[in-house]
Amino acid sequence: MKKSLGVIMAALMAFTFGTASAAEIGNDGFVQVEVEVYPEPGESLNDMRRVAVAEAYRQLAEEVDELHVTSNTTVIKSRRASDTINISVDTILKGARISKVYRDNAGVFHAIATLGVYGGANSLAGVLLPTDVVQEDFPQPKMTSMESGSFDQGKSYTGLILDCRGKGLATAISPAILSQGGERIYAYENVPRQTAISWGMVDYSEDINSGVSRAGDSPLVIKAVSVSGGVDPVVSQADADRILAANQASKFLANCSVVIVR
């Protein structure tokens, strides 16, 4: 064992590492980190590959720890608060996969580590989201649908697209949508837990014209006015009422048919 550790440490010292891509929850529900390993002269390709893989796993674990669970909780905070959660997250991280390892034309080795966030009780979401939350009804709109702006009473919306571009929004396992008055109009306590941990509260997209299929063919599109706690979109009171009134007719929020464009 001591000899193996010495070999590993010597190999690590022989390479310089490139910066890893920052971990976020992608619109496919995965966290992905890519690392670059720059070799020193004389190092073998096998050593380069092995160190790249080890570094990808290490950096993925670090990045996952920094992920938001909610606006005021991160994975590492949850792990520190509970030995059970800490052990469970460690087990999940061991199941991460190296989705790609390759050497580029400059001789640099790249390794991409990938981990799914959702999928059921044994996923990150299943471990980190509480089990003792009683499901609550969605709030009622404060205005009638006729008073709440351009809401179309005759239209059946299939989902919600929230445009948060330019707001500096980060991803979270369990974000909420807030009105400007601070009311949580969409949150974990409003949806079936099994839906939230299997599919996720939201999808994230970088493009309002693509990666938004989760919201269906006839989505309600709303532009956020700000972001709270780094991860929770805030909408105007009129738009909050539009969302809640549309949801009363179509029930899309209970299905987590929500896409956030960043």
Side-chain angles (χ1 to χ4, degrees):
M1 180 65 69
K2 290 182 179 179
K3 183 176 181 181
S4 293
L5 181 59
V7 170
I8 292 171
M9 291 303 295
L12 287 173
M13 292 176 68
F15 298 94
T16 56
F17 299 98
T19 56
S21 54
E24 296 278 359
I25 302 172
N27 70 329
D28 52 3
F30 284 83
V31 176
Q32 182 171 283
V33 169
E34 179 173 359
V35 300
E36 299 175 349
V37 174
Y38 299 87
E40 296 293 332
E43 296 302 331
S44 73
L45 296 181
N46 284 340
D47 278 347
M48 289 172 59
R49 181 184 180 90
R50 179 170 55 83
V51 173
V53 168
E55 183 66 7
Y57 276 124
R58 186 189 70 79
Q59 292 201 28
L60 178 68
E62 289 185 357
E63 295 290 349
V64 166
D65 274 345
E66 298 303 315
L67 285 177
H68 287 275
V69 180
T70 64
S71 60
N72 56 15
T73 305
T74 60
V75 173
I76 190 61
K77 286 181 181 178
S78 298
R79 297 182 72 175
R80 288 171 177 166
S82 167
D83 288 340
T84 300
I85 289 177
N86 187 43
I87 292 169
S88 296
V89 172
D90 275 342
T91 300
I92 291 167
L93 285 168
K94 290 175 182 176
R97 65 188 179 91
I98 299 297
S99 54
K100 190 174 184 180
V101 182
Y102 66 97
R103 185 186 183 206
D104 65 24
N105 292 334
V108 177
F109 257 85
H110 300 249
I112 301 173
T114 304
L115 181 69
V117 176
Y118 311 107
N122 295 322
S123 65
L124 270 180
V127 166
L128 293 166
L129 296 181
T131 59
D132 57 353
V133 174
V134 177
Q135 188 174 340
E136 301 176 4
D137 292 335
F138 287 97
Q140 297 294 312
K142 299 190 184 316
M143 309 175 191
T144 67
S145 58
M146 288 298 292
E147 294 171 331
S148 55
S150 60
F151 174 66
D152 186 345
Q153 293 185 84
K155 188 170 184 178
S156 179
Y157 291 97
T158 55
L160 173 66
I161 296 174
L162 270 179
D163 184 356
C164 297
R165 290 174 295 179
K167 306 296 183 186
L169 181 136
T171 62
I173 296 173
S174 181
I177 301 173
L178 311 179
S179 71
Q180 279 185 299
E183 183 179 29
R184 291 158 62 90
I185 66 168
Y186 176 70
Y188 175 62
E189 58 266 24
N190 302 126
V191 304
R193 183 176 191 274
Q194 191 58 46
T195 303
I197 67 174
S198 297
W199 201 26
M201 294 286 296
V202 303
D203 256 358
Y204 290 98
S205 177
E206 303 293 331
D207 187 344
I208 200 165
N209 297 311
S210 64
V212 295
S213 59
R214 181 164 171 169
D217 296 329
S218 183
L220 176 62
V221 181
I222 298 292
K223 190 170 181 63
V225 296
S226 62
V227 169
S228 176
V231 302
D232 295 336
V234 179
V235 299
S236 70
Q237 186 60 57
D239 282 337
D241 289 328
R242 292 179 67 205
I243 293 168
L244 293 172
N247 182 63
Q248 284 183 331
S250 304
K251 313 298 183 188
F252 55 82
L253 291 180
N255 295 325
C256 299
S257 298
V258 178
V259 176
I260 295 177
V261 181
R262 303 169 60 226

